[in-house]
Amino acid sequence: MCTPDNRKHNPDVMAAVRTGVLTLLKHAKNEVEEAKSADRAAEVLKFLHDSLQENEDLTREFDDRLFIEFGEYLTRNVTIRWTGDSHRKLNDCIEVFFMSGPAEDSFLVITKSLSSDSHSTEIRTAVTLLEGWLAKGRMCELICRKTLSVDGDGKRRSLSAASERLVTRLVAIPDIVANQLHVQERSLLTRGNYYKLLAESVLEVLQFTYDNLKNGRDCSLSFVNAIFGKACLQGHADVLMSVLLPSFSSFTQSDPLWCRICQRFLTATPDRCMESVITPLLSNIEPFVV
């Protein structure tokens, strides 16, 4: 008998789970292709999502191995066939996969659709999905997961090439979007709004780090350091500092752990970004110096 702990290590069980997920996806794709209306396609996708969520093993298999492929099918095939506000039900059913799926893979699939060779409908859908992804706090979720992963070794952990590319994409989102589509000023994807949101996400990640360290769980700031440094390097330091410094001043008044976290965060920035961090830091820090 397989318990929850050893089930994922049993080859026969995992093969059956994978077959089950593949069968569900194949059936859903066939049903979507044969659908005569967007409402019917929405019903199929809702049933698929509900079926995957009902079973923890199915959810894990889908998220770990099959999400990216199916996510690209949704953005490249389904959204192009049916578009517009009149198909809000279908759009909502597509969105739920990206709001509940793995944060990093969701982000990668969505932003892949923002390339210059993408269909205009695919780009508009990607922008809508990305705004929803940001509004739901999934950027913070993505970075928090990175603080718990061991991505390198040694005291000053170096990022993998894949993580470096992810950092670059996260920092460049407003420029990527602006190159493809005009967004309204209230959008989270404008430079001012996005980098403010990025700074707020950094604060949440540092709070997450603080809580984990207090509970004896190891964390790495390498990923969030790299994001902060690159954003400063690209000229957004003042926006970031305006959000971060007031909180840093409050956090470090009487808590030694917060002092260590903030010190580490500011001093462990990648060397190539250090000048872009220190200069704005010195010009913005005076009101917070006691």
Side-chain angles (χ1 to χ4, degrees):
M1 180 177 179
C2 291
T3 66
D5 288 334
N6 65 25
R7 187 166 47 203
K8 63 182 179 181
H9 300 298
N10 186 302
D12 292 336
V13 171
M14 293 313 300
V17 169
R18 183 171 177 80
T19 299
V21 176
L22 289 172
T23 300
L24 282 172
L25 295 180
K26 181 179 180 180
H27 178 73
K29 287 181 179 180
N30 289 339
E31 290 288 311
V32 168
E33 295 303 320
E34 294 174 4
K36 302 300 182 183
S37 68
D39 283 350
R40 173 55 186 157
E43 291 173 2
V44 172
L45 293 179
K46 184 179 186 305
F47 177 80
L48 171 63
H49 185 266
D50 291 347
S51 298
L52 291 171
Q53 295 299 312
E54 285 177 359
N55 184 291
E56 183 180 340
D57 291 332
L58 296 182
T59 302
R60 185 186 300 112
E61 178 68 18
F62 176 68
D63 286 352
D64 291 350
R65 300 175 182 272
L66 300 166
F67 178 86
I68 290 180
E69 180 183 350
F70 189 72
E72 290 178 352
Y73 166 76
L74 291 177
T75 57
R76 288 188 177 275
N77 295 71
V78 179
T79 59
I80 293 176
R81 182 175 176 186
W82 287 293
T83 62
D85 292 337
S86 60
H87 303 311
R88 185 67 255 175
K89 182 179 177 182
L90 175 59
N91 294 338
D92 289 344
C93 288
I94 291 173
E95 184 178 88
V96 74
F97 281 93
F98 293 94
M99 299 307 111
S100 62
E104 180 176 344
D105 289 345
S106 296
F107 176 77
L108 292 174
V109 171
I110 292 170
T111 54
K112 185 177 180 180
S113 295
L114 294 173
S115 62
S116 57
D117 60 346
S118 296
H119 190 281
S120 59
T121 298
E122 186 180 350
I123 292 173
R124 288 195 297 272
T125 299
V127 168
T128 299
L129 288 173
L130 187 55
E131 287 181 315
W133 187 87
L134 291 170
K136 194 174 174 64
R138 306 222 68 197
M139 177 161 59
C140 178
E141 180 185 341
L142 187 163
I143 303 172
C144 282
R145 287 184 178 275
K146 289 293 187 180
T147 69
L148 296 177
S149 65
V150 179
D151 195 6
D153 52 23
K155 292 183 178 179
R156 187 167 182 172
R157 294 172 179 169
S158 59
L159 297 184
S160 66
S163 289
E164 290 280 7
R165 290 192 295 271
L166 182 58
V167 167
T168 298
R169 193 177 299 192
L170 279 165
V171 174
I173 280 300
D175 293 328
I176 293 173
V177 172
N179 287 336
Q180 300 296 334
L181 192 70
H182 174 72
V183 294
Q184 297 179 344
E185 284 301 313
R186 68 176 182 274
S187 170
L188 291 174
L189 298 172
T190 61
R191 288 179 178 85
N193 291 336
Y194 182 81
Y195 292 109
K196 180 181 178 183
L197 178 64
L198 178 61
E200 292 168 349
S201 297
V202 167
L203 283 178
E204 291 186 55
V205 170
L206 294 180
Q207 179 66 61
F208 175 82
T209 302
Y210 175 87
D211 294 339
N212 275 276
L213 290 175
K214 287 206 74 169
N215 291 323
R217 191 173 188 182
D218 189 28
C219 293
S220 169
L221 293 178
S222 297
F223 190 77
V224 70
N225 277 144
I227 291 175
F228 175 65
K230 186 173 284 291
C232 289
L233 187 63
Q234 295 185 2
H236 308 291
D238 287 337
V239 175
L240 297 175
M241 297 294 182
S242 70
V243 175
L244 296 175
L245 290 182
S247 295
F248 285 0
S249 177
S250 174
F251 293 161
T252 57
Q253 290 296 318
S254 58
D255 193 318
L257 179 55
W258 264 119
C259 290
R260 292 199 299 272
I261 290 172
C262 293
Q263 179 186 27
R264 176 68 177 171
F265 174 74
L266 293 170
T267 60
T269 303
D271 292 341
R272 64 184 179 279
C273 307
M274 188 59 71
E275 182 179 353
S276 299
V277 170
I278 295 300
T279 302
L281 174 62
L282 294 176
S283 64
N284 284 277
I285 202 171
E286 184 176 354
F288 307 102
V289 175
V290 179

